Amino acid sequence: MLGLSSPTVSWKSLTLAWGEGVEFEFLNQRWRFRLTPYRWVMAAVVIVAALVMLYRLCVGLGPTTNLNDQWPWGWWIAFDVLSGVALAAGGYTTALIVYVLNRRHFKPVARAALITSMLGYIIVVVGLFMEIGRWYNFWRPFLIYPGGWHSILFEVFWCVSCYTVVQVLEFGHIFFEKVRYPWLARLFNRVLPALFIIGVALPTMHQSGLGALYIAMIDRLNPLWWSLLLPVFFWLSSFFVGPAMCVVEGALSGKAYGRSLETPVLGNLVRVSMVAMIVYLALKVVDLSYRGHLADLFSGTTASYLCLLELVGGVLVPLVLYALPRVRTSSRGLLTASGLVVGGVLLNRFNVVFTGMAQALDGWYFPAWTELVVTAGLVCLAVLIYCFIVENFAIFAGHSRRAAEAGRAAATPVSRPASAALIEQPRAAS
Amino acid sequence: MAKGVLVDVSKCIGCRSCFAACKQWNQLPPDEEKTKPTWDRPPDMTGNTWTAVKPFITERDGQVQWRFVKEQCRHCLEPACESVCFVHAFVKTEQGPVIYYGYRCVGCRYCMLACPFAVPKYEWERIFPEVKKCRFCFDPDGSFDRLGKGEEPACVSACPTGALKFGEREELLAEARNRIAGSPGRYVDRIYGEREYGGTSWLYISDVPFEQIGFRTDASEKSIPHWTGRITRWTLPIGVGWAAALTALYLYSRSRQTQESEEQEEAWGGE
């Protein structure tokens, strides 16, 4: 096994990162991955999905999906790509706040956010590969054909590709804590600030770019959603769904690993969301009334109900909930509000792809089982890799109870006080 | 210079000679129809059908009248498909036609969604499908070429009633204006394709209102590239400006730290 030579983790960086007394004993141990019954099921789903993907790549889109000439973009675009990219925004949101703006009290949640974001993008990239009809040509857009760069898809393609690579490189500084190649670790740590800056700039571009894709659908996308501000709306919503997704993912992983949610840290983080949500709502109202479609919100059509649901249930209500300190400081309240935000952004992306286009595209589309299985497999794959990463690398400030049960020898000093100190210290200083 | 076709809806009798000629010239296989196509259920454009004739029952002066509208690629002056294609598989030629280079195509199908006339279709049954649409019988260096040899498109040559007229776009526009002015009360005073989405090479005139025969009369006069261009031109300035701003923010926030934190900073790899 790699890097088993050094007996203890004595890296200054780890002590400084997590505070005195926090040790990640498992960084000295072999790779571990225990297959629980749940994980067997997920692994099985991954295997089935892999077979379906192979089948799809071999026989083409027609026989394996319900996509058709009326609905050339379906489930994979709506969920795997548009929603996936938005929900993986936690990485760049926290990277901006923690590493660029140096708000260090958010650090305890930063690594988990970066990891889930990276996994999210890997899913998106694989999903996109399934989605394209002539997959052996996937590299063509890198050639930069004259005339090709006018496409918003060109921008999205480049930014998503580059950002995925940047995120994998960002993972380097965590990876080399376990796999000891000091000179490589130094190299990765040195380029980290640059990576973080690129890693905030790129997603800003392609998050908005995904919205801008639909600018071309003028006269066809329902005016409740079509606007020249679409890129701004997509970017703002990705920005505020990032912290909400950190809460949801934190709660899920907390359940799995018997940890409690970092409520004080996350409660502060969602205050950043609130600003973006207020701007989003205000812009949305101004934009709708400027274009004369504010009344359409109440026209009683399916589209109007879904748009209202998205704005009220997915933005306004959680905004009010976040604004209440009592809600923000309780894990349950935080989780409820964040769940609404995540649901609202999901609904928004589905509305843009399906509801808003339904009238113009006509015809019929509902995802085939193959499309759903591929998505399920990709999500399961991400969960399994996530579990592997948090059990083998220093991701959480706290050493998890169940991780310890899983064979991590004696319990290391509990890190709660240390992480609490990290939270309090800079605030006292500022 | 650029060619076009003028479609006079009032002259079309729905014989579908154009449809047959298109299939024949381009050697397109028939579509697998689940039921026999009828005028109630006319075939749509597909990867194997590049032109379709759509029937409409309209009313004029209290009389029920059938009208038939030939659909195919409009060969826009500023095509949406070309502007949204990130590998430039669609190319607007000087001669007028918008043609497609399949070898470049990635198969993202953005063109299908972006086309305001919903023209590009996909070969769903193939393993590596191509996007298919009318190429105006323009196939430079290929065996399907007519336009390049100075001939008119197959559909136009097959039309028995003169509903289709091939020529220079500018001359066709003048001709259309003459026809409208020449028979007062006969035509709707509009040439569809003159300005819609920046103008198209295929022009339509009709004796029944366009909205009754499946045309969108509220179409934007600005082309799709005009709309997307309003966004894409910000890409580079925003990207570079934002990266510069982030760098400045990072340097500023780092410089504000105490000496002790500075050490942490370096040890923690600049985080």
Side-chain angles (χ1 to χ4, degrees), chain A residues 268-400:
Chain A
N268 269 322
L269 195 61
V270 297
R271 286 164 68 185
V272 182
S273 286
M274 287 168 59
V275 179
M277 288 163 86
I278 292 168
V279 176
Y280 179 86
L281 262 189
L283 261 186
K284 190 85 193 173
V285 172
V286 169
D287 173 63
L288 279 173
S289 54
Y290 175 77
R291 291 183 295 114
H293 289 289
L294 196 58
D296 291 3
L297 267 181
F298 309 99
S299 61
T301 58
T302 313
S304 71
Y305 286 131
L306 286 171
C307 190
L308 268 183
L309 183 64
E310 166 197 322
L311 290 175
V312 175
V315 188
L316 188 61
V317 172
L319 180 60
V320 173
L321 287 176
Y322 278 161
L324 302 170
R326 199 161 46 91
V327 175
R328 204 170 57 231
T329 50
S330 86
S331 341
R332 186 178 288 179
L334 197 58
L335 182 60
T336 309
S338 303
L340 285 175
V341 174
V342 171
V345 169
L346 274 175
L347 181 59
N348 172 256
R349 301 307 193 254
F350 273 77
N351 276 342
V352 168
V353 178
F354 295 115
T355 320
M357 295 295 289
Q359 203 177 358
L361 298 188
D362 215 6
W364 186 86
Y365 170 80
F366 190 84
W369 69 270
T370 43
E371 295 173 67
L372 299 173
V373 164
V374 167
T375 300
L378 290 177
V379 173
C380 287
L381 181 67
V383 172
L384 288 176
I385 302 177
Y386 177 84
C387 292
F388 176 78
I389 290 177
V390 298
E391 284 165 27
N392 288 280
F393 297 97
I395 305 300
F396 297 130
H399 199 33
S400 80

Side-chain angles (χ1 to χ4, degrees), chain A residues 12-14 16-18 56-63 65 67-74 77 96 98-104 107 111 131-141 144-155 157 173-174 177 188-190 192-193 196-198 200-202 204-205 212-220 226 228-229 231 235 357 360-361 422 425 430, chain B residues 44-47 80 82-89 100-118 120-131 197 216 218-224 226-232 234-240 242-257 260-261 263-271:
Chain A
K12 201 176 151 202
S13 67
L14 276 174
L16 288 170
W18 302 106
R56 171 263 168 276
L57 292 179
C58 292
V59 303
L61 284 167
T65 65
L67 296 167
N68 53 56
D69 279 333
Q70 279 74 46
W71 288 97
W73 283 6
I77 286 287
L96 173 64
V98 177
Y99 300 114
V100 178
L101 302 180
N102 236 318
R103 303 289 151 147
R104 301 146 58 81
K107 247 180 193 173
R111 284 189 165 195
E131 159 62 32
I132 57 174
R134 298 161 71 80
W135 47 264
Y136 61 87
N137 259 350
F138 77 93
W139 50 274
R140 289 262 182 197
I144 318 185
Y145 288 95
W149 61 65
H150 303 301
S151 171
I152 291 159
L153 198 59
F154 180 81
E155 183 215 330
F157 175 85
H173 80 289
I174 299 170
E177 288 167 2
F188 272 89
N189 283 354
R190 191 150 299 156
L192 208 51
F196 279 129
I197 289 168
I198 301 169
V200 175
L202 287 178
T204 306
M205 303 311 289
L213 286 180
Y214 278 81
I215 294 287
M217 282 67 139
I218 180 175
D219 296 343
R220 286 149 55 78
W226 190 92
L228 275 178
L229 289 181
W235 171 65
M357 295 295 289
L361 298 188
L422 262 179
Q425 178 196 331
S430 61
Chain B
D44 287 314
M45 280 191 289
T46 66
E82 183 189 38
S83 78
V84 301
C85 181
F86 62 165
V87 289
H88 207 218
Y100 166 80
Y101 294 102
Y103 74 93
R104 285 182 194 168
C105 180
V106 177
C108 71
R109 310 184 297 288
Y110 189 18
C111 50
M112 299 173 66
L113 270 174
C115 172
F117 305 108
K121 300 295 175 202
Y122 212 48
E123 296 177 314
W124 293 102
E125 68 288 353
R126 287 183 50 185
I127 297 170
F128 296 117
E130 293 192 354
V131 175
Y197 297 110
R216 286 200 64 147
D218 58 346
S220 159
E221 289 204 351
K222 298 280 191 341
S223 66
I224 301 292
H226 162 85
W227 291 105
T228 51
R230 286 181 67 175
I231 301 300
T232 45
W234 293 98
T235 308
L236 218 52
I238 289 183
V240 174
W242 181 222
L246 286 170
T247 311
L249 279 171
Y250 168 74
L251 293 174
Y252 171 73
S253 66
R254 198 179 68 163
S255 72
R256 270 191 2 162
Q257 290 188 330
E260 186 197 10
S261 325
E263 277 166 17
Q264 277 193 16
E265 192 67 32
E266 270 159 26
W268 186 225
E271 285 184 27

Side-chain angles (χ1 to χ4, degrees), chain A residues 2 10 28-29 40 42 117 174-175 182 189 192 196 234 280 283 312 378 399 413 423 429:
Chain A
L2 290 164
S10 55
N28 290 315
Q29 295 172 356
W40 273 116
M42 285 195 278
S117 182
I174 299 170
F175 184 78
N189 283 354
L192 208 51
F196 279 129
F234 266 56
Y280 179 86
L283 261 186
V312 175
L378 290 177
H399 199 33
I423 300 161

